[in-house]
Amino acid sequence: MLLDRLEELEKRVADLEMNKPASASPATPQVGAEPTGSSQPASAKANAAPASADVSVAAGSAAASGLSASAAGGNAMSNDRVVASVGAQATEKGKSGAPKGSKEEPFSFADFTWLNGNARTKEVPLDTKFFTPEIRADVDYNYSFSHPKDDTIGGSSEVFRHGEVQVTQLGVGGDFHYDNVRARLMTQFGMYSQTTPRNDASPARGQWQLDNAYRYISEAYGGYHFNALHGINVDAGIFMSYIGLFSYYQFDNWAYQPSYVSSNTPWFFNGVRVQIFPTAHLKIEPWVTNGWQSYGRFNGRPGLGLQILWRPTGWLSVLGNQYALGEEALGVQGRIRYHSDDSIEIKYLDHQENFLSKAAFSLTGDIGCEHGGGVSCYGNSAKGPKQSFLGFMFYNRFWFDHDRYGLTLGGGKINNPGRYLVLLPPINGATAASGTPYFTENPGDQFKAWDASGTFDYMPSQYITFRAEFNHRAANVPYFSGPGGVTPSCPTAPVVENICGSPGAFVPGFTPDLKKIENRINLAILVKF
């Protein structure tokens, strides 16, 4: 009798569940979300909201579990099918198109759109089951107090011209996702299509002009999402680097000009990554890459990397990136690079009812070195001079009036003997491959620098930011463009694209005007759909 009663009760409960209105049942997110952060490189060198998962990392971006990603972290957008976001430069979007699953989407338990390096967008107007579009525009005006006569600004991977309105980046693309298969494409037109390839020396090895082949692409990869654990993604192609916290895309960041720890480290990798989400709070991501922000290999071996991203609560994000074993000096066999980049971000105030609605800070520390090939990690010795990198950056962000306004104060410092991570000034068109006798990057060359900035943002919509920023930058050696500029006159040799002779070549009678201090104002309009 009792068993009959139990069976009857179970049937009635089952009938009630079947007839329950859809609005009364909790929505189950679709498997296939990516965490954001680049970096995302992607960017690169990538905001997670519980209802969105934008993974691109920027620069940033990071893909969560093969689920769709468009709302969280840098490049994250929100949609009802996906919800994963990962921290700065660890963000990337990309739905997998996987069927709905019962496990919690990675990083979907809280809104992470406050993170530095993560986009704050939470809705994608034209999102579909197969494709999540993305459009980005970065247009800026820079004013250097040095007034370089050739309007050329050096020493930055974000700012390039003085006194002119320039399109830094126009990106059109998005994420494809169906039947657990994923792909992402993002173009880069504008200044980035020239300035990013010139910082990669690997195309100088071999044929086929790799810099031209990839010039207009910031992200391009394909992969597959496995329905294991809380998601596993396997992707191959160009994806955003996560080293340096900031996203490759300025919309995602608290400031326009990041400190050297971010500006001088990779924005992208070309290789293979595996994103493993053991829990909804943790991502483990190994990479095999062609090299350190390079389209090809510098020598005969690839680089290896690993990211660990942990977000135990909605107010804390801990990010660690490790890179090792790559031979990153063009034509120098046996010189091995090691680098550790570690960040913590804490939101310490969140009261939307107050005028000061939110506050958070980020702290990043980097340490690295090279050994072999005539240099040493541990100081000047018989093996060669010390070749190392040590730096940090700290930023504090305030949001006002329901996050309509933002104020960021911050800066950082680096010490890089050997200058192997110093951005080469574009003297007479110099590139990372050509070098220049006017600013050498040889073992033993010293370089120390620091900077500070203040950034004000007006954000009337989740899709646009009006930004004004002041930057003060300083170095222990002449490095920044002065009034005389870095472009020579050329009375004898042929002039092609304002280069006298060959890129970076010595020009008799010419001396570039380099200064130890630079002050700049940046005005920008940043758009992301």
Side-chain angles (χ1 to χ4, degrees), residues 250-257 397 455-459 465-469 522-526:
Q250 308 307 329
F251 179 93
D252 305 345
N253 299 328
W254 293 353
Y256 196 94
Q257 172 66 70
R397 172 81 163 181
T455 307
F456 177 77
D457 290 339
Y458 171 52
M459 300 165 285
T465 298
F466 296 90
R467 175 164 292 174
E469 180 171 291
N522 170 275
L523 304 175
I525 296 177
L526 309 171

Side-chain angles (χ1 to χ4, degrees), residues 35-46 55-63 74-75 86-92 117-118 218-219 239-249 252 265-269 273 275 283 285 287 293 307 319 321 341:
T36 62
S38 223
S39 127
Q40 221 99 180
S43 15
K45 13 258 200 169
V55 184
S56 26
V57 200
S61 305
N75 297 4
V86 187
Q89 290 201 13
T91 43
E92 275 192 76
N118 287 353
S218 62
E219 299 174 76
F239 49 89
M240 291 289 95
S241 158
Y242 315 138
I243 297 177
L245 187 65
F246 277 67
S247 169
Y248 183 61
Y249 308 116
D252 305 345
T265 51
W267 292 115
F268 71 87
F269 288 128
R273 69 180 181 188
Q275 298 179 320
K283 181 183 78 161
E285 180 175 322
W287 332 305
Q293 184 167 307
Q307 180 197 76
L319 176 67
N321 298 299
D341 165 80

Side-chain angles (χ1 to χ4, degrees), residues 340-353:
S340 178
D341 165 80
D342 304 285
S343 298
I344 183 171
E345 298 187 73
I346 294 177
K347 180 175 63 173
Y348 58 88
L349 186 150
D350 194 349
H351 295 293
Q352 291 300 307
E353 70 276 11

Side-chain angles (χ1 to χ4, degrees), residues 128-256:
T128 70
K129 181 179 180 180
F130 173 69
F131 180 63
T132 302
E134 184 173 330
I135 299 173
R136 290 177 175 270
D138 176 352
V139 182
D140 72 335
Y141 171 88
N142 296 287
Y143 180 85
S144 171
F145 287 82
S146 295
H147 306 102
K149 68 179 185 181
D150 59 355
D151 292 337
T152 301
I153 295 174
S156 171
S157 56
E158 298 76 24
V159 174
F160 313 106
R161 300 284 296 184
H162 155 73
E164 302 170 346
V165 175
Q166 294 290 347
V167 177
T168 298
Q169 190 245 354
L170 175 64
V172 179
D175 297 282
F176 301 85
H177 35 78
Y178 189 77
D179 193 27
N180 283 47
V181 179
R182 355 169 327 113
R184 176 168 170 82
L185 170 66
M186 181 56 60
T187 64
Q188 61 175 18
F189 299 106
M191 295 298 295
Y192 271 2
S193 66
Q194 297 295 315
T195 57
T196 298
R198 65 84 66 178
N199 288 326
D200 176 15
S202 70
R205 180 174 184 258
Q207 303 299 318
W208 303 120
Q209 297 179 315
L210 294 178
D211 52 347
N212 288 333
Y214 293 112
R215 183 173 302 280
Y216 301 106
I217 297 173
S218 62
E219 299 174 76
Y221 62 80
Y224 190 79
H225 171 74
F226 294 88
N227 297 321
L229 303 175
H230 282 253
I232 298 176
N233 298 327
V234 179
D235 301 316
I238 296 180
F239 49 89
M240 291 289 95
S241 158
Y242 315 138
I243 297 177
L245 187 65
F246 277 67
S247 169
Y248 183 61
Y249 308 116
Q250 308 307 329
F251 179 93
D252 305 345
N253 299 328
W254 293 353
Y256 196 94

Side-chain angles (χ1 to χ4, degrees), residues 13-67:
V13 170
D15 291 340
L16 287 172
E17 289 180 345
M18 291 179 64
N19 296 327
K20 183 167 28 174
S23 60
S25 64
T28 303
Q30 173 178 353
V31 179
E34 301 192 37
T36 62
S38 223
S39 127
Q40 221 99 180
S43 15
K45 13 258 200 169
N47 303 344
S52 64
D54 176 7
V55 184
S56 26
V57 200
S61 305
S65 63
L67 326 166

